[in-house]
Amino acid sequence: MQTATVDQAAGSRALAASQIGAAVEHELRAAQFIDIHTHLYMPSLGPVGLWGIDNLVTYHYLEAELFRSSTIQPAAYWQLSQREKADAIWKALFVENAPVSEATRGVIAVLQAFGLPTESEDLREARAFFAAQKLPAHIRNVFKLAGMSEAVMTNDPLDPAEAPEWLKGAEPDPLFHPVLRLDRILNKWADHWQILAGQGYQVDAQATGKSTAEVRRFLADWHARMKPVYMAVSLPDMFQFPEDSLRGRMLAEAVLPACREFGIPLSLMIGVRYLVNPALKLAGDAVGKADLRAVEYLAREYPENRFLISVLSRENQHELCVYARKFANLMPFGCWWFLNNPSIVEEMTRERLEMLGTSFIPQHSDARILEQVIYKWRNTRRTVGPILANAYRLLAEDGRAVTRADIQRDVARLFRGNFEKFTGMKKQ
Ligand code: RAT
Ligand code: ZN
């Protein structure tokens, strides 16, 4: 009791300008974040969850960099075994060059976090270390090192590797939240409608007749199976809404009503130019500026829906903040993919704080390989810390005292509370 009173008193004392930086750093370190969009998976979904050194080194962000620093051609690279791929990338990007890019430096940070050599000629020691880890305990350790309590997954019910595990009744895991991902339905209907048809849903190639109602029934069935915290889709830079297209009709007649019915948000990740270089496979996508009038229309015409929004183009960030000021059913989140570099994270986070206060979600990791959350969240804390501290210093200068309790509350709101509230995971 005594300690609590003392702590409370310390927490509500005005901080001197010189104390603010350290206090922000401390609160960011102490907070347990929710990672609101990852490609990580709970162990009960089987081998879809990637982890370990060979996966870390062959991350598609690094594959894109390989072809700039090696003479190997994509076609030859794809013929290699995964271990050979990792060796080729390690040699080109870590031995023959300094790993100064964001994605390469991330691997170094992970190696360092586990006390593994960062300058060796090969990956032998790292491979031995990861081979000795037991997954569930390793996940808990990695989350602890990353300062996060939970990861939100990306679960596409039409993913052939994952769907059978759900159908078998994959055991839920408190460390992982499901998300119903819609890319195969909304962006690749031609390749997937037959799977739905095969499962007894009355759909056809052009999505005519009962198709959209049947997709809604499919979503309801998967909602019951997965209990997702939101539905999600990535969209091209040319995305338009409303639109007389298959995707436009699916959104209007199946997805938006389903989200309303289940009281969950829809996450739109807009601005991908898919496979501008198909030879690079997963690493072959680029970015394009999107027309955010589609977001404006959705927010205004569907006030009963809530939208988590991430846009990939740097040029779209300011207008997204403007739209978020107009519509409380929009929640900007993350510095996605090509934006997740300190220079751009800094610019975007400052802009969001200035325009939206603490009513946004600064970052998600987008980790595809488990251990990446260690470096991605460390980088976020490092970049966001000084920006928050600067905002508090300006506030103090302008006449409003800042306390440790203020900082603690704001960090919790930014890195978990906004998400919990927006998804309805926590009421109030
Ligand atoms: O950032 C990435 O890893 C991209 O390849 C995509 O996965 C993107 O994040 C997405 O979820 O579509
Ligand atoms: Zn992603």
Side-chain angles (χ1 to χ4, degrees), residues 279-296:
L280 298 195
K281 301 191 178 180
L282 206 49
D285 295 347
V287 55
K289 187 177 183 304
D291 179 357
L292 293 195
R293 277 162 225 238
V295 173
E296 171 190 321

PDB file of all heavy atoms in Angstrom, residues 279-296:
ATOM      1  N   ALA A 279       9.399 -12.160 -61.594  1.00  0.00           N
ATOM      2  CA  ALA A 279      10.519 -13.074 -61.353  1.00  0.00           C
ATOM      3  C   ALA A 279      10.932 -13.084 -59.885  1.00  0.00           C
ATOM      4  O   ALA A 279      11.533 -14.045 -59.411  1.00  0.00           O
ATOM      5  CB  ALA A 279      11.708 -12.685 -62.222  1.00  0.00           C
ATOM      6  N   LEU A 280      10.610 -12.042 -59.163  1.00  0.00           N
ATOM      7  CA  LEU A 280      11.009 -11.969 -57.750  1.00  0.00           C
ATOM      8  C   LEU A 280       9.977 -12.586 -56.806  1.00  0.00           C
ATOM      9  O   LEU A 280      10.158 -12.556 -55.593  1.00  0.00           O
ATOM     10  CB  LEU A 280      11.269 -10.516 -57.336  1.00  0.00           C
ATOM     11  CG  LEU A 280      12.390  -9.756 -58.046  1.00  0.00           C
ATOM     12  CD1 LEU A 280      12.742  -8.483 -57.275  1.00  0.00           C
ATOM     13  CD2 LEU A 280      13.639 -10.606 -58.195  1.00  0.00           C
ATOM     14  N   LYS A 281       8.876 -13.097 -57.354  1.00  0.00           N
ATOM     15  CA  LYS A 281       7.822 -13.724 -56.530  1.00  0.00           C
ATOM     16  C   LYS A 281       7.361 -12.779 -55.411  1.00  0.00           C
ATOM     17  O   LYS A 281       7.039 -11.640 -55.679  1.00  0.00           O
ATOM     18  CB  LYS A 281       8.301 -15.065 -55.983  1.00  0.00           C
ATOM     19  CG  LYS A 281       8.685 -16.026 -57.111  1.00  0.00           C
ATOM     20  CD  LYS A 281       8.902 -17.423 -56.589  1.00  0.00           C
ATOM     21  CE  LYS A 281       9.225 -18.341 -57.768  1.00  0.00           C
ATOM     22  NZ  LYS A 281       9.450 -19.721 -57.367  1.00  0.00           N
ATOM     23  N   LEU A 282       7.386 -13.266 -54.148  1.00  0.00           N
ATOM     24  CA  LEU A 282       6.896 -12.459 -53.030  1.00  0.00           C
ATOM     25  C   LEU A 282       7.603 -11.101 -52.931  1.00  0.00           C
ATOM     26  O   LEU A 282       7.046 -10.129 -52.396  1.00  0.00           O
ATOM     27  CB  LEU A 282       7.126 -13.259 -51.740  1.00  0.00           C
ATOM     28  CG  LEU A 282       6.235 -12.997 -50.542  1.00  0.00           C
ATOM     29  CD1 LEU A 282       4.772 -13.018 -50.928  1.00  0.00           C
ATOM     30  CD2 LEU A 282       6.520 -14.020 -49.449  1.00  0.00           C
ATOM     31  N   ALA A 283       8.840 -11.039 -53.431  1.00  0.00           N
ATOM     32  CA  ALA A 283       9.586  -9.782 -53.360  1.00  0.00           C
ATOM     33  C   ALA A 283       9.310  -8.893 -54.572  1.00  0.00           C
ATOM     34  O   ALA A 283       9.952  -7.852 -54.736  1.00  0.00           O
ATOM     35  CB  ALA A 283      11.086 -10.081 -53.264  1.00  0.00           C
ATOM     36  N   GLY A 284       8.373  -9.280 -55.418  1.00  0.00           N
ATOM     37  CA  GLY A 284       8.181  -8.562 -56.692  1.00  0.00           C
ATOM     38  C   GLY A 284       7.140  -7.465 -56.682  1.00  0.00           C
ATOM     39  O   GLY A 284       6.871  -6.858 -57.720  1.00  0.00           O
ATOM     40  N   ASP A 285       6.535  -7.176 -55.503  1.00  0.00           N
ATOM     41  CA  ASP A 285       5.502  -6.128 -55.444  1.00  0.00           C
ATOM     42  C   ASP A 285       6.132  -4.751 -55.251  1.00  0.00           C
ATOM     43  O   ASP A 285       7.195  -4.627 -54.643  1.00  0.00           O
ATOM     44  CB  ASP A 285       4.546  -6.369 -54.264  1.00  0.00           C
ATOM     45  CG  ASP A 285       3.738  -7.649 -54.407  1.00  0.00           C
ATOM     46  OD1 ASP A 285       3.714  -8.227 -55.507  1.00  0.00           O
ATOM     47  OD2 ASP A 285       3.124  -8.071 -53.398  1.00  0.00           O
ATOM     48  N   ALA A 286       5.424  -3.724 -55.740  1.00  0.00           N
ATOM     49  CA  ALA A 286       5.887  -2.348 -55.546  1.00  0.00           C
ATOM     50  C   ALA A 286       4.740  -1.531 -54.945  1.00  0.00           C
ATOM     51  O   ALA A 286       3.776  -2.088 -54.419  1.00  0.00           O
ATOM     52  CB  ALA A 286       6.374  -1.772 -56.865  1.00  0.00           C
ATOM     53  N   VAL A 287       4.869  -0.217 -55.034  1.00  0.00           N
ATOM     54  CA  VAL A 287       3.911   0.678 -54.373  1.00  0.00           C
ATOM     55  C   VAL A 287       3.375   1.686 -55.377  1.00  0.00           C
ATOM     56  O   VAL A 287       4.077   2.069 -56.309  1.00  0.00           O
ATOM     57  CB  VAL A 287       4.604   1.402 -53.195  1.00  0.00           C
ATOM     58  CG1 VAL A 287       5.867   2.132 -53.624  1.00  0.00           C
ATOM     59  CG2 VAL A 287       3.667   2.377 -52.510  1.00  0.00           C
ATOM     60  N   GLY A 288       2.130   2.113 -55.184  1.00  0.00           N
ATOM     61  CA  GLY A 288       1.572   3.199 -55.992  1.00  0.00           C
ATOM     62  C   GLY A 288       0.676   4.067 -55.127  1.00  0.00           C
ATOM     63  O   GLY A 288       0.079   3.599 -54.149  1.00  0.00           O
ATOM     64  N   LYS A 289       0.605   5.329 -55.489  1.00  0.00           N
ATOM     65  CA  LYS A 289      -0.261   6.258 -54.746  1.00  0.00           C
ATOM     66  C   LYS A 289      -1.712   5.890 -55.027  1.00  0.00           C
ATOM     67  O   LYS A 289      -2.082   5.639 -56.169  1.00  0.00           O
ATOM     68  CB  LYS A 289       0.027   7.681 -55.221  1.00  0.00           C
ATOM     69  CG  LYS A 289      -0.669   8.752 -54.430  1.00  0.00           C
ATOM     70  CD  LYS A 289      -0.240  10.129 -54.943  1.00  0.00           C
ATOM     71  CE  LYS A 289      -0.841  11.263 -54.141  1.00  0.00           C
ATOM     72  NZ  LYS A 289      -2.297  11.286 -54.043  1.00  0.00           N
ATOM     73  N   ALA A 290      -2.515   5.837 -53.980  1.00  0.00           N
ATOM     74  CA  ALA A 290      -3.919   5.433 -54.146  1.00  0.00           C
ATOM     75  C   ALA A 290      -4.837   6.657 -54.116  1.00  0.00           C
ATOM     76  O   ALA A 290      -4.440   7.740 -53.687  1.00  0.00           O
ATOM     77  CB  ALA A 290      -4.298   4.477 -53.011  1.00  0.00           C
ATOM     78  N   ASP A 291      -6.073   6.437 -54.579  1.00  0.00           N
ATOM     79  CA  ASP A 291      -7.088   7.487 -54.519  1.00  0.00           C
ATOM     80  C   ASP A 291      -7.908   7.254 -53.246  1.00  0.00           C
ATOM     81  O   ASP A 291      -8.757   6.362 -53.196  1.00  0.00           O
ATOM     82  CB  ASP A 291      -7.978   7.377 -55.766  1.00  0.00           C
ATOM     83  CG  ASP A 291      -9.074   8.424 -55.764  1.00  0.00           C
ATOM     84  OD1 ASP A 291      -9.176   9.193 -54.775  1.00  0.00           O
ATOM     85  OD2 ASP A 291      -9.839   8.472 -56.748  1.00  0.00           O
ATOM     86  N   LEU A 292      -7.658   8.051 -52.226  1.00  0.00           N
ATOM     87  CA  LEU A 292      -8.295   7.785 -50.935  1.00  0.00           C
ATOM     88  C   LEU A 292      -9.749   8.253 -50.865  1.00  0.00           C
ATOM     89  O   LEU A 292     -10.381   8.165 -49.819  1.00  0.00           O
ATOM     90  CB  LEU A 292      -7.473   8.380 -49.793  1.00  0.00           C
ATOM     91  CG  LEU A 292      -6.096   7.740 -49.562  1.00  0.00           C
ATOM     92  CD1 LEU A 292      -5.530   8.143 -48.203  1.00  0.00           C
ATOM     93  CD2 LEU A 292      -6.127   6.218 -49.653  1.00  0.00           C
ATOM     94  N   ARG A 293     -10.279   8.718 -52.004  1.00  0.00           N
ATOM     95  CA  ARG A 293     -11.723   9.005 -52.004  1.00  0.00           C
ATOM     96  C   ARG A 293     -12.522   7.733 -51.735  1.00  0.00           C
ATOM     97  O   ARG A 293     -13.638   7.785 -51.238  1.00  0.00           O
ATOM     98  CB  ARG A 293     -12.151   9.578 -53.348  1.00  0.00           C
ATOM     99  CG  ARG A 293     -11.883  11.065 -53.441  1.00  0.00           C
ATOM    100  CD  ARG A 293     -11.891  11.483 -54.888  1.00  0.00           C
ATOM    101  NE  ARG A 293     -10.762  12.354 -55.125  1.00  0.00           N
ATOM    102  CZ  ARG A 293     -10.872  13.584 -55.590  1.00  0.00           C
ATOM    103  NH1 ARG A 293     -12.045  14.053 -55.921  1.00  0.00           N
ATOM    104  NH2 ARG A 293      -9.805  14.324 -55.756  1.00  0.00           N
ATOM    105  N   ALA A 294     -11.935   6.603 -52.065  1.00  0.00           N
ATOM    106  CA  ALA A 294     -12.606   5.320 -51.758  1.00  0.00           C
ATOM    107  C   ALA A 294     -12.764   5.176 -50.244  1.00  0.00           C
ATOM    108  O   ALA A 294     -13.823   4.755 -49.754  1.00  0.00           O
ATOM    109  CB  ALA A 294     -11.790   4.157 -52.320  1.00  0.00           C
ATOM    110  N   VAL A 295     -11.735   5.550 -49.505  1.00  0.00           N
ATOM    111  CA  VAL A 295     -11.795   5.474 -48.038  1.00  0.00           C
ATOM    112  C   VAL A 295     -12.809   6.484 -47.504  1.00  0.00           C
ATOM    113  O   VAL A 295     -13.590   6.190 -46.594  1.00  0.00           O
ATOM    114  CB  VAL A 295     -10.386   5.705 -47.438  1.00  0.00           C
ATOM    115  CG1 VAL A 295     -10.441   5.815 -45.921  1.00  0.00           C
ATOM    116  CG2 VAL A 295      -9.436   4.581 -47.864  1.00  0.00           C
ATOM    117  N   GLU A 296     -12.800   7.667 -48.099  1.00  0.00           N
ATOM    118  CA  GLU A 296     -13.755   8.716 -47.705  1.00  0.00           C
ATOM    119  C   GLU A 296     -15.192   8.185 -47.873  1.00  0.00           C
ATOM    120  O   GLU A 296     -16.025   8.302 -46.973  1.00  0.00           O
ATOM    121  CB  GLU A 296     -13.539   9.940 -48.597  1.00  0.00           C
ATOM    122  CG  GLU A 296     -14.590  11.019 -48.450  1.00  0.00           C
ATOM    123  CD  GLU A 296     -14.447  12.105 -49.534  1.00  0.00           C
ATOM    124  OE1 GLU A 296     -13.306  12.481 -49.882  1.00  0.00           O
ATOM    125  OE2 GLU A 296     -15.497  12.560 -50.041  1.00  0.00           O
TER     126      GLU A 296
END
